Amino acid sequence: VDTKYINVHFNYTNNKRGQIMKKRFISLLAIGLSCMMILGGCGKKGPEQSENGGSGSVQMDSEQVLNTIYFEVATLDANDTTDNQSSSILNAVQEGLVRIENNGKGDEIVPAGAEKWEASEDGLTWTFHLRKMNWSDGEPVVAKHYVDSFQRILNPDNGFAYGFLAYDIEGAEEYNTGKGTIDAVGVKAVDDYTLEFKLKHPVPYFASKVSYTTFHPIRLDVIEKLGDKYASEIKDTVYNGPFKIESWDNGNSMVLVKNDTYWDADNVYLQKINMTKIQEFATQAQLFEAQELDITGAQTDYIEKWTERADAGEFQKLTGEDPGSFYLYFNQKSESANGILKNAKIRKAIGLSIDRDVYTKDLVGRFQSAYGIVPTAINVSDEKYRDKVEGPLESDAKTYVNNKEKLQELFKEGLKELGLQTDDLSKYELTYLSQGSSELQKQRSEWLAQQVNGNLGIKINVETQGDWGVYLSIMDKLEYDFTMSGWSADYNDPMSFLDIWVSNGGNNHTGYADTEYDELLKSVYKETEQDKVTEIYKKLENKLVNEDAVISPVYYTDKYAFYQNYVKDIQFTSFGSVYEFKHAYIQGKN
């Protein structure tokens, strides 16, 4: 372990086995945007702001306003954040110890709330030296605010899903599981500007781990003042990041404005970011073509149409692989239809009743059909995982997809195992929870319901939930039968998708609990040979997708975005927030 002060940028996408980075649910909004790449240079001194421009120099426009679509914010409580939409907003208005940035050469960890940090020779003590900076109300940001954050997320009474991410810290797991005390947690404020962590074992990537939104500093006095409104109220909220929330009409719009008290305010150029909910993509497309929307994703016929226009120089285009996948979730504790979702064969039959190629090619016009949970963008060592390991459902898909007789045969086998009748399948009724209420999403949900009904003969109702926060709450409470949602990785390793499903995991919203899976997952950390690690990953994925049918993969996500030529230096990290606004500016609009 390098014991020197680390105060320079370093690349953190090192594919270390077992690296636990922040992972997050993807909303359909994120997929609509779906562009996690750099749009231009970053991290440099920005151009001068001028109304008239100047010879031989790059000039910013006098009006620095970015227009984008609304982010479906589930919560403003950093400790309670589990999705990438909320995280993206919180990263814009808050500053943690470090930030993830991308200068076009890959994701990097850069100093933020901490100016520098060091690890002890044995790797068990990490010390962060904080810069002197203030909250938006003038109060200094001190080490205790970070200590409060770690203690709050680990407090078992709060039930925060991401408490497990701090388990590398001494006493963290014990306190979070009710077997230890808060005083034994190895996070300490040495003084106002020195923060110390004591770890149970060496974690070379610990500096990247503390970039998580969930570990941002907090103000307990503000939390206590706002009480139940803290997660949803912007009045009296304080910020220490590049921007502040000026207004928020939850579910419809949000406006961010520059935070002039931010420590690096001189290098923040946008004065305002307008976010507006645009329900239908056709409307979104019209606004983009009229330059009233600055960044958009694309789907169906617009992909080909806009690609031609981008090639002609009208605007810019981004494409590429993306580290995300979408799949059907099955609630194994559901009592609907005599509890049929408790059976693996029934869950598998439902998943295989969907023709993924029709969904991706005809209904969406993008993405790649998926037969495993780990997407094509994820590596093992220096190789693509999917090049080494076949999707667990690929073989069975050839047998079952579009084969009604075989699908019903598999479904009936599951019914017999449950001791239920097999003569009239129409008597079984389930509800599909649809995320998003746009016409396109309704069309896709109805198509999916018809696929299951047509192939299995069971009745499928569609329940639409357009509110992202409510949708996440329904999943968390296991108040659904089955649904489709997604997961995006924050680090380049299959473990990002495989450790979700541990028994009682904070993001395991299926009711699945299996000791064999848990033990197999733990065995990964005991292996040092990459081939053996890959073999364990293969077994875990096969058990999850094929044998136990906990979920059923539908598609791997991709990057497909279009943005106006005048949008400069907005960053899209591969394994971070959807947007990094800090360095963005407008130059040459109209």
Side-chain angles (χ1 to χ4, degrees), residues 223-238:
I223 294 173
E224 292 169 1
K225 178 180 180 179
L226 292 175
D228 293 340
K229 296 181 179 180
Y230 175 64
S232 58
E233 178 64 72
I234 63 171
K235 187 177 181 293
D236 297 324
T237 297
V238 294

Side-chain angles (χ1 to χ4, degrees), residues 3-229:
T3 58
K4 296 179 179 178
Y5 281 168
I6 310 171
N7 55 9
V8 295
H9 299 189
F10 64 95
N11 191 290
Y12 85 112
T13 53
N14 47 19
N15 305 336
K16 292 186 182 293
R17 179 182 57 79
Q19 180 173 343
I20 303 177
M21 302 285 290
K22 183 184 70 176
K23 300 175 288 286
R24 63 270 198 275
F25 280 105
I26 321 173
S27 76
L28 292 169
L29 167 63
I31 293 303
L33 296 170
S34 196
C35 54
M36 298 182 182
M37 290 180 64
I38 185 73
L39 299 188
C42 71
K44 61 183 181 295
K45 179 66 178 176
E48 291 182 32
Q49 185 165 339
S50 171
E51 189 168 351
N52 301 316
S55 176
S57 64
V58 179
Q59 304 292 344
M60 289 193 300
D61 289 3
S62 58
E63 184 177 77
Q64 290 297 306
V65 178
L66 183 74
N67 297 308
T68 181
I69 65 174
Y70 176 70
F71 279 32
E72 297 285 350
V73 179
T75 179
L76 289 177
D77 187 339
N79 294 146
D80 199 25
T81 305
T82 61
D83 67 291
N84 65 345
Q85 301 299 290
S86 302
S87 292
S88 295
I89 295 300
L90 288 169
N91 277 328
V93 300
Q94 294 181 357
E95 187 86 309
L97 291 168
V98 299
R99 292 185 82 86
I100 300 175
E101 295 190 356
N102 189 320
N103 64 0
K105 299 179 181 178
D107 291 1
E108 293 180 325
I109 296 296
V110 301
E115 292 182 308
K116 55 190 177 183
W117 52 94
E118 70 223 26
S120 61
E121 189 171 353
D122 61 6
L124 298 179
T125 301
W126 284 70
T127 305
F128 289 79
H129 302 273
L130 308 186
R131 70 174 71 250
K132 292 187 177 181
M133 57 186 293
N134 293 331
W135 296 94
S136 53
D137 64 354
E139 288 292 317
V141 180
V142 295
K144 185 180 184 300
H145 296 148
Y146 289 94
V147 175
D148 289 341
S149 182
F150 277 86
Q151 291 182 345
R152 183 170 180 262
I153 195 174
L154 289 168
N155 188 330
D157 294 337
N158 293 328
F160 292 136
Y162 272 13
F164 76 94
L165 289 175
Y167 282 6
D168 293 323
I169 299 170
E170 281 186 357
E173 182 174 6
E174 291 79 5
Y175 176 49
N176 190 233
T177 55
K179 300 174 183 178
T181 65
I182 191 172
D183 294 333
V185 177
V187 185
K188 176 184 177 182
V190 178
D191 55 45
D192 281 351
Y193 296 100
T194 308
L195 181 67
E196 180 184 271
F197 295 91
K198 293 286 188 181
L199 308 185
K200 292 189 294 188
H201 46 254
V203 184
Y205 47 86
F206 189 70
S208 63
K209 199 168 188 180
V210 296
S211 69
Y212 308 156
T213 307
T214 49
F215 297 147
H216 283 178
I218 60 172
R219 286 274 297 277
L220 289 179
D221 59 324
V222 175
I223 294 173
E224 292 169 1
K225 178 180 180 179
L226 292 175
D228 293 340
K229 296 181 179 180

Side-chain angles (χ1 to χ4, degrees), residues 348-571:
K348 187 172 181 179
I350 293 173
L352 287 172
S353 66
I354 300 169
D355 189 329
R356 289 147 176 80
D357 289 342
V358 171
Y359 188 88
T360 56
K361 294 177 182 178
D362 297 341
L363 269 76
V364 185
R366 57 184 288 197
F367 306 137
Q368 179 180 343
S369 298
Y371 300 95
I373 188 174
V374 182
T376 55
I378 296 296
N379 286 9
V380 281
S381 189
D382 295 326
E383 299 181 69
K384 294 291 186 183
Y385 175 77
R386 285 272 73 101
D387 289 345
K388 296 171 67 69
V389 179
E390 182 180 80
L393 280 185
E394 282 194 40
S395 178
D396 281 346
K398 297 173 184 176
T399 301
Y400 290 102
V401 174
N402 293 319
N403 189 327
K404 181 188 294 188
E405 182 179 349
K406 282 288 187 181
L407 284 167
Q408 292 193 9
E409 182 181 308
L410 179 63
F411 190 85
K412 289 178 179 180
E413 286 180 17
L415 291 175
K416 290 177 182 178
E417 290 178 358
L418 293 173
L420 298 174
Q421 66 89 15
T422 61
D423 295 332
D424 188 357
L425 300 185
S426 67
K427 291 185 177 180
Y428 295 106
E429 183 174 342
L430 295 172
T431 298
Y432 174 73
L433 176 63
S434 173
Q435 177 209 330
S437 55
S438 70
E439 288 303 317
L440 281 173
Q441 183 55 23
K442 288 178 181 178
Q443 177 189 0
R444 294 164 190 168
S445 298
E446 291 294 341
W447 174 88
L448 188 146
Q450 291 168 9
Q451 284 266 293
V452 179
N453 171 261
N455 283 302
L456 296 180
I458 65 176
K459 183 177 181 181
I460 302 296
N461 302 310
V462 176
E463 176 187 336
T464 299
Q465 180 49 253
D467 187 288
W468 176 234
V470 175
Y471 176 83
L472 290 178
S473 178
I474 290 172
M475 290 187 64
D476 186 50
K477 297 175 182 177
L478 296 180
E479 295 176 345
Y480 70 99
D481 291 337
F482 73 115
T483 185
M484 189 196 301
S485 195
W487 197 257
S488 180
D490 274 293
Y491 67 101
N492 200 353
D493 191 275
M495 183 60 82
S496 177
F497 292 87
L498 299 173
D499 65 357
I500 306 169
W501 314 101
V502 64
S503 298
N504 301 314
N507 292 302
N508 178 0
H509 301 304
T510 64
Y512 177 67
D514 186 88
T515 55
E516 182 182 341
Y517 189 90
D518 295 346
E519 291 303 314
L520 190 59
L521 191 69
K522 291 179 182 178
S523 70
V524 174
Y525 300 100
K526 301 175 184 178
E527 291 294 343
T528 56
E529 296 182 25
Q530 186 60 58
D531 287 345
K532 292 183 178 179
V533 170
T534 302
E535 188 60 31
I536 296 174
Y537 286 163
K538 179 180 179 180
K539 291 178 180 178
L540 283 165
E541 188 181 28
N542 185 67
K543 183 170 177 57
L544 179 71
V545 172
N546 187 25
E547 296 176 14
D548 296 347
V550 181
I551 52 94
S552 188
V554 178
Y555 62 86
Y556 303 129
T557 61
D558 59 23
K559 301 168 184 170
Y560 230 114
F562 297 87
Y563 61 97
Q564 307 292 358
N565 289 327
Y566 53 76
V567 177
K568 310 295 183 181
D569 284 13
I570 188 167
Q571 298 180 23

